[in-house]
Amino acid sequence: MWTRQHKQRNTGRLIIPSLCVAFLAYFGFHAYHGEFGIYSKYQLEAQTVALQGQLDAIKARRMELERRVRLMHEGTLEKDMLDEQARKALNLSQADEITIMLPTSSK
């Protein structure tokens, strides 16, 4: 009677661990780089800081404009403010006046 002896192969033992490593690598990669991953969280926080800075600048500009509009309302009209706006609109100044041109910030 002939008996066959089979050698045990180690490749069968590596299939399950290698599949687990592949799944963990796949999900780990997407946990960090995915749309809702850790890296995206840091990008959103940086974007939030930048947008908050823009919002603060816009609010400050709006408050300045509202202050200037309040000066132009009827009953609180200041002659200096009216004179400044008229000269600016008409591009007019007296011969004995010194005109200082300030750069306008365009954002």
Side-chain angles (χ1 to χ4, degrees):
M1 173 190 273
W2 296 92
T3 59
R4 290 187 185 178
Q5 294 179 353
H6 296 286
K7 279 186 175 180
Q8 284 187 335
R9 294 184 184 147
N10 290 334
T11 56
R13 292 181 186 170
L14 295 177
I15 291 174
I16 300 275
S18 61
L19 286 176
C20 289
V21 167
F23 282 123
L24 288 174
Y26 175 79
F27 288 117
F29 177 81
H30 287 288
Y32 186 75
H33 292 287
E35 185 177 354
F36 300 106
I38 297 169
Y39 184 68
S40 296
K41 176 185 170 188
Y42 294 133
Q43 286 181 332
L44 287 175
E45 288 175 355
Q47 185 180 9
T48 302
V49 169
L51 290 175
Q52 187 65 41
Q54 287 180 357
L55 178 65
D56 293 341
I58 290 171
K59 282 184 178 180
R61 175 79 174 136
R62 179 181 174 162
M63 290 181 69
E64 174 63 24
L65 289 173
E66 286 178 353
R67 184 190 66 80
R68 292 180 66 108
V69 167
R70 272 196 310 269
L71 292 175
M72 297 295 288
H73 281 310
E74 187 178 339
T76 61
L77 190 63
E78 293 185 12
K79 291 181 182 179
D80 292 335
M81 185 69 176
L82 180 63
D83 185 49
E84 176 188 343
Q85 293 296 323
R87 288 177 190 273
K88 189 174 184 180
L90 298 174
N91 198 16
L92 178 68
S93 64
Q94 298 294 329
D96 60 346
E97 291 180 341
I98 298 174
T99 304
I100 300 173
M101 302 299 282
L102 297 175
T104 59
S105 60
S106 59
K107 289 186 179 180

